[in-house]
Amino acid sequence: MALAFTSSPAIHASLSSSSSSCEQPKVSQLGTFQPLDRPQLLSTALNSRRRSAVKPLNAEPKRNDSIVPSAATIVAPEVTEKVEAEDFENLAKELQNASPLEIMDKALEIFGDDIAIAFSGAEDVALIEYAHLTGRPFRVFSLDTGRLNPETYQLFDAVEKHYGIRIEYMFPDAVEVQALVRTKGLFSFYEDGHQECCRVRKVRPLRRALKGLRAWITGQRKDQSPGTRSEIPVVQVDPSFEGLDGGAGSLVKWNPVANMDGKDIWNFLRTMNVPVNALHSQGYVSIGCEPCTRPVLPGQHEREGRWWWEDAKAKECGLHKGNIKDESVNGAAQTNGTATVTDIFDTKDIVTLSKPGVENLLKLEDRREPWLVVLYAPWCQFCQAMEGSYVDLAEKLAGSGVKVGKFRADGEQKAFAQQELQLGSFPTILFFPKHSSKPIKYPSEKRDVDSLLAFVNALR
């Protein structure tokens, strides 16, 4: 994700007169959109918070870095009363059934020039389109990690030209990047996880940017990552970062498309004919840095194209780390700390194996029949995504002489699975041959029935 701030030309003129390439519809042209009335519960807190005039960014036709204010250097105004978290909890309830356009309009109305859209160069271009349709001035920022795909940079340029805006890019600290690469190499994240690299290249630049704002707008959706994003509200006090006034509760986070499905986002993008990342047509869905992003395959969840060598629970780069909850109590994944996650792969054709059962499989050198076993965690969205194909496979193999099993390998069993069963990430699929004690790990990310069946047939 590249972090950048931009101002829309609507600050000085109407949207129609500011664009030289095409005429974009305004809110008044949409007919069905009516901005919500400002809730009374916010009137006192928000009205006391900011009533200064929106500061124009004076964007010119040609880029001039001197006129693009850095989020890290914006002069903070006099500190005013912070908005209570309860105000935004109530607002989130009021806006729960509102359209993304209504939510975007409310965000821009409340925060004006103190809010910006976080643009990653993927399908979150929808956020910019919604902001444009409100007819209000808006800003955009993006994090340039230095390792984005060429197609992402091309999209940045196309978006700037399409909307007549200037994206303010935030970059990682050169000294920090140099120290990381010289010490650990260019691809250390494949060996010890992506968090350190993301912290240097993304999280710290984001923190600098947000210190110049009172609110930001993200493209998070509930269906993107069931393990970490399934409960995000449309607006919240940011649980992880600080804003302009500093301290907890000083930054508000808006998620206008939280309740939309991916397919609805794409229907909107096609209808509005906006620029999109060329990688989407090559099988990429969730797009980040080039070394850590790849196309998804049949039967895979969209986030499985990111950091595929790690567990599903780790698939947040740190920009939205507040989504991640404590994952277990006595090895059982929890939701809100209480309810146990429902088990998966629950069918008569799949045998549930205990740790002693797996240990017996490992000891046997001459089994009566071969086994196919999935190492899984029920909270893992990638395990959930392949449940249908694995159940279908078990039905096809019923009576064939191949036993199909499952072993829950999270919690207390994870260390054992990593040491003895080649567990790298969930799900891991193993085939135990009839005349060999050593299991064979399924090497592919294709988890459709035909691919799994071809693997079994090649080995049995």
Side-chain angles (χ1 to χ4, degrees), residues 100-101 104 117-134 138 140 155 159 163 217-219 221 256-257 260-262 264-270 272 274-277 280:
L101 185 58
M104 179 68 74
I117 297 168
F119 180 43
S120 69
E123 61 191 12
D124 50 358
V125 67
L127 298 174
I128 300 177
E129 179 67 13
Y130 281 124
H132 177 75
L133 292 174
T134 68
F138 62 91
V140 179
L155 176 63
V159 165
Y163 292 101
I217 302 169
T218 85
R221 302 194 322 272
V257 296
M260 291 186 73
D261 292 331
D264 294 328
I265 288 283
W266 275 98
N267 287 337
F268 174 70
L269 294 177
R270 294 186 185 100
M272 305 309 294
V274 301
V276 295
N277 197 315
H280 289 306

Side-chain angles (χ1 to χ4, degrees), residues 227-292:
T228 61
R229 299 186 178 184
S230 61
E231 299 177 14
I232 54 173
V234 297
V235 59
Q236 64 188 130
V237 173
D238 195 298
S240 304
F241 296 98
E242 297 181 5
L244 190 60
D245 296 334
S250 60
L251 185 71
V252 177
K253 186 175 184 179
W254 292 78
N255 308 299
V257 296
N259 296 321
M260 291 186 73
D261 292 331
K263 63 179 182 356
D264 294 328
I265 288 283
W266 275 98
N267 287 337
F268 174 70
L269 294 177
R270 294 186 185 100
T271 299
M272 305 309 294
N273 194 30
V274 301
V276 295
N277 197 315
L279 292 174
H280 289 306
S281 64
Q282 302 173 35
Y284 291 79
V285 181
S286 178
I287 300 173
C289 293
E290 187 278 333
C292 302

Side-chain angles (χ1 to χ4, degrees), residues 14 27 52 95 134 142 194 221 243 250 259 271 289 295 313-314 316 318:
S14 70
V27 149
S52 59
L95 295 175
T134 68
S142 189
H194 72 274
R221 302 194 322 272
S250 60
N259 296 321
T271 299
C289 293
K313 273 287 183 177
E316 291 286 359

Side-chain angles (χ1 to χ4, degrees), residues 340-396:
T340 303
V341 173
T342 304
D343 200 15
I344 55 178
F345 305 120
D346 189 14
T347 173
K348 63 181 179 62
D349 296 314
I350 299 177
V351 179
T352 300
L353 295 170
S354 62
K355 181 179 177 181
V358 173
E359 288 175 329
N360 286 334
L361 273 180
L362 288 169
K363 293 176 183 177
L364 292 174
E365 295 186 0
D366 191 9
R367 303 179 184 87
R368 293 178 56 187
E369 58 267 312
W371 281 77
L372 185 72
V373 179
V374 61
L375 312 181
Y376 75 102
W379 46 259
C380 168
Q381 69 266 36
F382 309 129
C383 298
Q384 295 165 7
M386 69 162 285
E387 181 178 18
S389 59
Y390 196 70
V391 169
D392 290 346
L393 177 68
E395 292 178 357
K396 288 180 178 293

Side-chain angles (χ1 to χ4, degrees), residues 146-427:
R147 305 200 74 168
L148 303 177
N149 289 277
E151 292 86 349
T152 300
Y153 291 112
Q154 291 164 6
L155 176 63
F156 290 153
D157 181 65
V159 165
E160 287 189 324
K161 292 175 179 176
H162 183 80
Y163 292 101
I165 62 177
R166 288 291 180 259
I167 299 174
E168 185 181 322
Y169 300 96
M170 300 296 292
F171 298 90
D173 182 88
V175 174
E176 287 188 321
V177 173
Q178 177 176 284
L180 174 64
V181 173
R182 286 185 175 182
T183 302
K184 306 187 72 173
L186 287 168
F187 300 99
S188 60
F189 39 82
Y190 291 140
E191 303 297 328
D192 56 14
H194 72 274
Q195 296 296 339
E196 182 178 20
C197 184
C198 285
R199 185 163 54 249
V200 171
R201 293 180 182 270
K202 300 177 74 172
V203 178
R204 288 174 183 164
L206 174 66
R207 184 175 289 113
R208 293 200 311 270
L210 296 180
K211 286 293 290 182
L213 298 170
R214 287 192 169 92
W216 63 310
I217 302 169
T218 85
Q220 291 189 103
R221 302 194 322 272
K222 291 178 180 178
D223 70 332
Q224 283 176 323
S225 186
T228 61
R229 299 186 178 184
S230 61
E231 299 177 14
I232 54 173
V234 297
V235 59
Q236 64 188 130
V237 173
D238 195 298
S240 304
F241 296 98
E242 297 181 5
L244 190 60
D245 296 334
S250 60
L251 185 71
V252 177
K253 186 175 184 179
W254 292 78
N255 308 299
V257 296
N259 296 321
M260 291 186 73
D261 292 331
K263 63 179 182 356
D264 294 328
I265 288 283
W266 275 98
N267 287 337
F268 174 70
L269 294 177
R270 294 186 185 100
T271 299
M272 305 309 294
N273 194 30
V274 301
V276 295
N277 197 315
L279 292 174
H280 289 306
S281 64
Q282 302 173 35
Y284 291 79
V285 181
S286 178
I287 300 173
C289 293
E290 187 278 333
C292 302
T293 305
R294 67 178 181 180
V296 294
L297 300 167
Q300 291 185 306
H301 187 275
E302 66 178 74
R303 291 289 284 182
E304 201 158 359
R306 304 287 293 279
W307 309 296
W308 55 91
W309 62 94
E310 296 184 2
D311 287 352
K313 273 287 183 177
K315 292 184 186 285
E316 291 286 359
C317 60
L319 305 191
H320 306 295
K321 63 182 179 181
N323 297 336
I324 301 176
K325 301 180 178 65
D326 292 336
E327 76 174 50
S328 64
V329 176
N330 296 326
Q334 304 289 311
T335 302
N336 296 328
T338 54
T340 303
V341 173
T342 304
D343 200 15
I344 55 178
F345 305 120
D346 189 14
T347 173
K348 63 181 179 62
D349 296 314
I350 299 177
V351 179
T352 300
L353 295 170
S354 62
K355 181 179 177 181
V358 173
E359 288 175 329
N360 286 334
L361 273 180
L362 288 169
K363 293 176 183 177
L364 292 174
E365 295 186 0
D366 191 9
R367 303 179 184 87
R368 293 178 56 187
E369 58 267 312
W371 281 77
L372 185 72
V373 179
V374 61
L375 312 181
Y376 75 102
W379 46 259
C380 168
Q381 69 266 36
F382 309 129
C383 298
Q384 295 165 7
M386 69 162 285
E387 181 178 18
S389 59
Y390 196 70
V391 169
D392 290 346
L393 177 68
E395 292 178 357
K396 288 180 178 293
L397 291 175
S400 69
V402 177
K403 303 286 285 186
V404 179
K406 64 175 184 177
F407 176 61
R408 181 167 176 172
D410 63 340
E412 296 177 353
Q413 310 301 335
K414 187 173 181 179
F416 163 74
Q418 290 174 326
Q419 183 175 356
E420 303 293 338
L421 298 173
Q422 309 172 56
L423 175 66
S425 61
F426 297 117

